[in-house]
Amino acid sequence: MTKLNEAVVNLEPSVLLIKTGEGLLQYLGQGKDVNLGRQISWAEWLAEDPDADPKAFQLAVSLNVPLVQMADLSPEPKALGLLPAQDVRRLRALPLLVNQGRVVIAMEKPDNEDALATLNFLFNERVMPVVVTSRDMREAIARLYDRQEDLLVSRQLGLDPNIQSVHSESDIEKLSREKPIVRIVGDLIAEAVSRRASDIHLRPGQHGLEALFRIDDELVSVRQFIRILQPAIVSRIKVIAAINLAEHRKPQDGRTTFVLDDGRKVDLRVSVLPAVFGESVVVRLLDTNESLWSLDQLGLSNEDHVRVQDIMQRSHGMFLTTGPTGCGKSTTLYAMLLEMRKQRINILTIEDPVEFYIEDIQQMQVNRAAGFTFASAMRNFLRHDPDVIMVGEIRDRETAGIAIESALTGHLLLSTLHTNTAATTVTRLLDLGVEAYLLRASLLAVMSQRLIRLTCQHCRQPEMVDPHIRSILGVEQDEVFYSGTGCSHCDGLGVHKRQAVYELMLMTPRLQALIVPGAQADVIHRVAVEEGMIPITQAAVALARNGLISLTEAWRVRSD
């Protein structure tokens, strides 16, 4: 049992658990003082359901409202018709029963004041919220709304929902071009863009295809499609991404541009993988308005902003951004390129793949089938009169060697590397076979970074922090931190947008002296801190103290 669960048990609270329509009717008509259902403690609920949600239980306790279990409930048809499906999905609010001028609505977060205000505006009846778990809400929406819409689409397409799949390839291709399927995929992409999603995930399962959005680094379930529509939806995405429809056994990649109703263009990068219950699809949304940042949007301190500007003015040397996948390394380099293109210089990039097309910059894409790799591109770059070279990633000894050579022969080189800290970048390059004396002469600075989720300022509340986390991060037990509870501004996530948290290691003479064969990363890190570098963990805690992120978020992105 987790510490959170233990904390709930120790409080010995109980909530009213409603499982029947009669219980709802009593709650609706006679108020909270009647014995409507069964009072249940957290320990009792956990014993009945090992997947019980402690957050939902705590929310019901704190708001003093009933907890509803949807498995045995059949919402009243009249109530279901009160709210369109898109509003149910957006607000995560499901009408259950309407009677005597009141409507009971199941909500994941009844403390969401914006959602309640919207519901009160939409309904003439008095809204009486009850708590439902995220799992129950997801399953109920799939059962009551998604399935009904999908059955209507299947009838329009002449498909039998009881048949598990469409066998003919020609039938699948034809269905992928039918208006209902085109509309489903188009609406899914448009909704993802409007909700600031970075990715769309389509997960095939035993009972259908689940669609999820990645918003601010969290996967949010959107809807569930019935199994008969799965091949047509996946094939529609293949069609727009120019992917082979007949191939189902191998991974495939594609890319396209999708035009929204307002004329805005969004680049899509599509990855298809064969899975047990069909093909799994991930669509990366490359929206310039959301993903292409300026240098001012990175979250640099004033001092570090000046330091990065100074690096961009250098005529030669190497600047590296490091960190795990998805930490914003390329975003930082693109921000620097956007700034440097204002100068009258020749900028060349080699990327795998090119994520954003930038005017006035010559961008190339790796093509391994044609033998055009990072290393081969850079060998030719040196004859193309560049001032600045950006390499998508240093992956091997050959690329590292040519990068060092470029940085030493009158070019400013920008690239990325997969290391967790700035100090380990030095040891990683030495491990790749770079000579220590060449690295000392070429390396200008290393920025190790993560992307942190900013606390929504519209719904932030004091955060309950585990004492263990406080102890490890070195903060006092009485310090107050904030986390978001979820509202309409943040799509119910409690976080809204992201920024970089980083450590910037400038290569001073003391640090250069430590670049020797067998260099130790912990020694380099300690000296870098003495030379003024603020480690990622400390930088994240400082942001938490300023109320920009939760302390739990600082704990998540810590680097030591």
Side-chain angles (χ1 to χ4, degrees):
M1 186 179 295
T2 66
K3 291 186 177 181
L4 177 60
N5 296 353
E6 290 173 355
V8 176
V9 172
N10 292 334
L11 291 174
E12 290 296 343
S14 64
V15 298
L16 182 65
L17 184 66
I18 297 179
K19 295 185 177 183
T20 66
E22 291 78 10
L24 281 178
L25 190 60
Q26 286 184 329
Y27 173 63
L28 189 64
Q30 301 181 33
K32 301 177 184 178
D33 298 329
V34 181
N35 184 17
L36 312 175
R38 180 163 63 96
Q39 289 291 134
I40 190 169
S41 70
W42 167 250
E44 292 170 327
W45 192 29
L46 187 62
E48 291 183 8
D49 183 1
D51 295 325
D53 187 349
K55 292 183 178 179
F57 186 89
Q58 286 180 310
L59 192 59
V61 170
S62 63
L63 298 177
N64 192 27
V65 297
L67 184 66
V68 169
Q69 200 157 324
M70 295 293 299
D72 302 319
L73 273 176
S74 296
E76 188 182 51
K78 180 182 177 182
L80 291 177
L82 292 175
L83 203 59
Q86 61 267 29
D87 288 336
V88 172
R89 297 187 186 106
R90 179 173 58 89
L91 299 171
R92 311 301 289 177
L94 180 65
L96 300 177
L97 185 68
V98 59
N99 188 269
Q100 298 180 4
R102 299 179 182 182
V103 56
V104 178
I105 297 186
M107 302 181 67
E108 290 182 24
K109 296 181 178 180
D111 56 344
N112 186 335
E113 295 182 0
D114 292 325
L116 284 174
T118 301
L119 292 170
N120 282 315
F121 176 77
L122 294 174
F123 295 136
N124 294 323
E125 296 83 359
R126 177 188 171 192
V127 173
M128 297 182 66
V130 292
V131 177
V132 66
T133 66
S134 297
R135 182 188 61 183
D136 274 3
M137 176 64 76
R138 183 171 63 251
E139 293 176 352
I141 291 176
R143 182 177 77 252
L144 300 169
Y145 291 93
D146 297 348
R147 181 171 175 79
Q148 298 306 315
E149 291 182 4
D150 291 350
L151 289 174
L152 176 61
V153 170
S154 64
R155 284 195 294 270
Q156 291 173 345
L157 298 175
L159 299 176
D160 184 353
N162 297 316
I163 298 177
Q164 291 300 303
S165 62
V166 181
H167 298 290
S168 169
E169 291 292 342
S170 60
D171 287 344
I172 294 175
E173 182 174 1
K174 181 181 178 181
L175 288 172
S176 70
R177 302 179 189 278
E178 294 287 345
K179 284 185 177 180
I181 299 299
V182 172
R183 177 184 55 79
I184 285 174
V185 173
D187 289 349
L188 198 64
I189 295 172
E191 183 184 356
V193 173
S194 69
R195 294 175 66 175
R196 301 181 302 104
S198 60
D199 302 86
I200 301 171
H201 289 243
L202 296 177
R203 292 179 174 176
Q206 188 172 3
H207 303 293
L209 185 71
E210 184 181 13
L212 307 97
F213 293 161
R214 185 177 291 279
I215 304 173
D216 291 331
D217 208 29
E218 288 195 29
L219 279 177
V220 180
S221 179
V222 178
R223 65 163 298 174
Q224 187 102 13
F225 297 99
I226 60 176
R227 191 165 176 78
I228 191 64
L229 297 181
Q230 178 178 321
I233 292 172
V234 172
S235 294
R236 178 60 196 167
I237 294 176
K238 283 183 167 185
V239 166
I240 63 177
I243 293 175
N244 185 0
L245 287 179
E247 180 58 69
H248 304 288
R249 299 170 299 174
K250 296 179 181 179
Q252 297 189 83
D253 297 317
R255 182 167 186 162
T256 188
T257 299
F258 185 83
V259 181
L260 301 172
D261 290 340
D262 61 4
R264 185 152 51 105
K265 295 181 179 180
V266 179
D267 286 336
L268 309 180
R269 245 173 48 202
V270 180
S271 172
V272 181
L273 292 175
V276 175
F277 294 107
E279 290 176 291
S280 176
V281 180
V282 173
V283 181
R284 171 67 57 87
L285 304 171
L286 301 174
D287 183 4
T288 302
N289 291 343
E290 288 290 336
S291 303
L292 201 56
W293 296 359
S294 69
L295 205 60
D296 294 332
Q297 292 175 297
L298 292 179
L300 299 174
S301 67
N302 292 334
E303 296 81 1
D304 288 337
H305 193 285
V306 171
R307 291 171 181 140
V308 172
Q309 289 277 9
D310 177 65
I311 291 169
M312 291 190 297
Q313 298 296 326
R314 298 292 187 96
S315 61
H316 64 278
M318 182 166 64
F319 174 81
L320 299 175
T321 58
T322 72
T325 301
C327 71
K329 300 185 295 295
S330 297
T331 300
T332 297
L333 295 187
Y334 272 117
M336 295 175 70
L337 292 179
L338 287 172
E339 188 70 21
M340 286 189 287
R341 71 172 180 168
K342 299 174 183 177
Q343 308 171 37
R344 286 178 286 184
I345 57 177
N346 186 24
I347 302 175
L348 305 180
T349 78
I350 175 66
E351 305 167 59
D352 184 22
V354 174
E355 292 192 5
F356 297 101
Y357 299 110
I358 305 176
E359 291 185 10
D360 304 323
I361 293 178
Q362 299 299 302
Q363 296 172 271
M364 293 88 183
Q365 183 162 306
V366 166
N367 185 343
R368 291 182 177 81
F372 191 56
T373 64
F374 284 122
S376 63
M378 290 175 64
R379 280 194 294 269
N380 290 281
F381 276 8
L382 299 182
R383 296 189 291 272
H384 211 72
D385 188 30
D387 297 290
V388 176
I389 298 173
M390 194 271 269
V391 183
E393 183 183 348
I394 295 177
R395 296 179 178 176
D396 51 47
R397 176 175 297 190
E398 185 179 14
T399 306
I402 300 175
I404 295 291
E405 179 185 344
S406 303
L408 289 172
T409 54
H411 309 92
L412 180 61
L413 186 127
L414 314 178
S415 189
T416 71
L417 199 66
H418 283 287
T419 60
N420 288 326
T421 65
T424 53
T425 302
V426 173
T427 56
R428 172 65 176 151
L429 289 170
L430 293 174
D431 289 341
L432 283 176
V434 176
E435 296 290 346
Y437 72 95
L438 294 176
L439 188 56
R440 280 198 301 270
S442 59
L443 187 60
L444 297 174
V446 179
M447 179 185 286
S448 181
Q449 65 181 72
R450 307 286 188 276
L451 282 180
I452 51 169
R453 299 171 293 198
L454 300 175
T455 299
C456 177
Q457 300 301 304
H458 293 89
C459 63
R460 71 172 198 166
Q461 298 289 337
E463 180 186 15
M464 298 289 291
V465 184
D466 191 311
H468 172 71
I469 294 178
R470 289 181 179 269
S471 175
I472 296 296
L473 294 182
V475 301
E476 299 296 331
Q477 295 298 323
D478 58 350
E479 285 191 68
V480 179
F481 298 93
Y482 295 91
S483 62
T485 58
C487 66
S488 60
H489 292 88
C490 60
D491 215 346
L493 298 175
V495 292
H496 184 69
K497 294 194 174 182
R498 296 184 290 173
Q499 75 171 45
V501 61
Y502 63 91
E503 57 187 26
L504 179 60
M505 183 175 75
L506 292 175
M507 297 310 297
T508 64
R510 282 186 67 194
L511 288 169
Q512 289 174 337
L514 296 175
I515 303 179
V516 295
Q520 296 182 357
D522 56 343
V523 175
I524 295 174
H525 180 83
R526 187 183 70 248
V527 173
V529 172
E530 293 173 359
E531 293 286 281
M533 182 185 80
I534 299 175
I536 285 178
T537 305
Q538 291 184 23
V541 171
L543 291 174
R545 284 187 166 125
N546 288 332
L548 294 177
I549 65 173
S550 66
L551 192 64
T552 304
E553 181 72 0
W555 172 256
R556 184 182 71 87
V557 301
R558 71 193 187 283
S559 63
D560 48 16

